[in-house]
């Protein structure tokens, strides 16, 4: 079967247009695939490796405890990469849709590109690469503080309150999701249309949000050029790149 040529409308897009025209509550969950067109390496595509390490090996408290300098070198490298990237049409379309009443966006990404595109009240499910925290969790420091210096100096950065090690303000594998963030994300599953865009849907509990949305009666849609574990159960799958599909759906709405 010859798939649609880039730019050609995908079968099914008009179904999403129809649903969005009904003006109901729209919630979106995004993953690394929405930032791919901006040049941010995804986790599991070939670019997801760093000096032979897999993200799952570096993005853990154990890796940081073992070698904080190496983990900070990886995050500093990623911060430098992301700083050179700009939001792409996928981020821009979602920012335009974020002005719809009842819109919610939950992202697994830590790059901050949704906010730079103008989306407000982003639910940062896995935190932000632009935030730091005190590794020792000292009471004098805020839970997280903003530091977008590129490169980091000093590296590793220190906690301004206790002078101990600072850590990246992201959620590592094996760490729980901030309860307030989890509550906001679960609140977003109470919607009429639930879009899952650019995620391999392998990482939990983020990957389970679509099931929660379906349980509450949402029309569920996946936008991803590849099949994922949620493709079978989604009401609609649009097998294309987010930076092409989202602007095309938006153009059909106006
Ligand atoms: C927790 C921040 C418990 C860090 C990240 C076995 C089964 C189920 C679960 C587990 C298990 N073993 C362990 C677990 C739990 C674990 C987990 O899910 N592991 C997985 C790997 C099996 N989860 C956790 O540890 C979570 N915490 O469970 O806590 C707990 C509870 C209470 C108390 C204590 C503990 C925490 C997980 C958070 C990890 N942190 N990021 C950092 O960034 O450094 S996750 C990381 O992966 C990123 O956030 C990333 O966004 C996320 C998910 O990846 P994707 O976004 O999907 O990216 P990926 O590269 O995988 O895929 C890209 C997709 O885009 C592809 O599908 C591709 O086709 C598509 N694409 C490409 N181009 C485009 C595109 N799509 C559209 N357009 C394009 N142009
Ligand atoms: Zn401290």
């Amino acid at each position: 079967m010859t798939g649609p040529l880039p730019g050609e409308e995908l079968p099914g897009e008009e179904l999403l247009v129809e649903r969005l025209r009904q003006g109901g509550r729209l919630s979106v969950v995004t993953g690394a695939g929405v930032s791919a067109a901006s040049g941010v390496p995804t986790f599991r595509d070939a670019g997801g490796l760093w000096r032979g390490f897999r993200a799952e090996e570096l993005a853990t408290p154990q890796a940081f405890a073992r070698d904080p300098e190496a983990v900070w070198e990886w995050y500093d490298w990623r911060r430098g990469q992301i700083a050179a990237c700009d939001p792409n049409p996928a981020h821009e379309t979602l920012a335009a849709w974020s002005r719809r009443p009842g819109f919610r966006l939950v992202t697994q990404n830590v790059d901050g590109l949704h906010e730079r595109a103008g989306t407000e009240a982003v639910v940062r499910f896995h935190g932000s690469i632009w935030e730091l925290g005190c590794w020792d969790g000292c009471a004098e420091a805020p839970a997280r503080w903003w530091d977008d210096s590129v490169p980091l100096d000093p590296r590793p950065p220190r906690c301004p309150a206790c002078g101990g090690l600072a850590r990246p303000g992201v959620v590592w594998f094996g760490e729980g999701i901030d309860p307030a963030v989890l509550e906001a994300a679960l609140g977003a599953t109470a919607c009429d249309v639930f879009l899952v865009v650019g995620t391999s849907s392998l990482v939990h509990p983020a990957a389970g949000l679509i099931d929660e949305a379906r349980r509450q009666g949402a029309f569920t849609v996946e936008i991803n050029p590849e099949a994922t574990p949620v493709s079978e159960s989604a009401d609609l799958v649009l097998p294309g790149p987010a930076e092409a599909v989202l602007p095309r759906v938006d153009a059909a709405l106006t």
Side-chain angles (χ1 to χ4, degrees):
M1 170 196 151
T2 51
L5 297 173
E8 242 179 49
E9 186 168 310
L10 295 176
E13 276 180 20
E14 73 289 343
L15 287 179
L16 176 55
V17 172
E18 278 320 303
R19 287 279 175 163
L20 293 179
R21 277 218 180 96
Q22 290 162 20
R25 295 161 303 168
L26 168 62
S27 290
V28 183
V29 169
T30 63
V34 295
S35 295
S38 298
V40 179
T42 67
F43 267 69
R44 290 167 189 84
D45 295 342
L49 283 179
W50 183 75
R51 297 196 184 164
F53 289 104
R54 285 161 27 83
E56 282 80 359
E57 292 162 326
L58 286 160
T60 67
Q62 293 76 11
F64 190 77
R66 190 171 51 247
D67 191 346
E69 284 76 12
V71 173
W72 264 122
E73 191 184 341
W74 179 49
Y75 279 94
D76 202 17
W77 174 76
R78 287 173 64 194
R79 288 159 58 106
Q81 291 261 317
I82 293 165
C85 298
D86 292 315
N88 68 63
H91 298 108
E92 283 150 10
T93 300
L94 293 173
W97 290 358
S98 70
R99 289 184 270 288
R100 291 166 60 107
F103 178 90
R104 265 83 52 92
L105 180 91
V106 179
T107 188
Q108 299 174 84
N109 300 338
V110 298
D111 56 34
L113 289 180
H114 283 301
E115 295 89 334
R116 278 184 48 203
T119 300
E120 290 168 7
V122 174
V123 178
R124 295 177 184 152
F125 205 67
H126 294 150
S128 170
I129 203 165
W130 301 115
E131 289 186 333
L132 276 55
C134 178
W135 171 239
D136 298 323
C138 74
E140 296 75 21
R144 290 288 183 266
W145 63 89
W146 188 265
D147 176 344
D148 56 8
S149 49
V150 172
L152 282 161
D153 180 21
R155 190 182 79 198
R158 314 301 292 183
C159 169
C162 71
L165 263 179
R167 59 159 290 167
V170 301
V171 178
W172 278 327
F173 289 99
E175 292 188 314
I177 307 300
D178 176 296
V181 168
L182 187 58
E183 188 185 344
L186 289 171
T189 60
C191 61
D192 300 291
V193 179
F194 191 82
L195 283 190
V196 177
V197 190
T199 177
S200 58
S201 289
L202 292 172
V203 175
H204 288 266
L209 293 171
I210 186 173
D211 299 328
E212 190 51 32
R214 180 181 313 104
R215 204 182 57 74
Q216 296 181 75
F219 180 74
T220 58
V221 183
E222 179 181 45
I223 299 175
N224 192 325
E226 307 288 333
T228 74
V230 306
S231 303
E232 284 289 302
S233 53
D235 293 309
L236 174 66
V237 173
L238 299 176
E243 66 276 11
V245 174
L246 289 173
R248 238 191 345 252
V249 169
D250 187 50
L253 278 174
T254 37

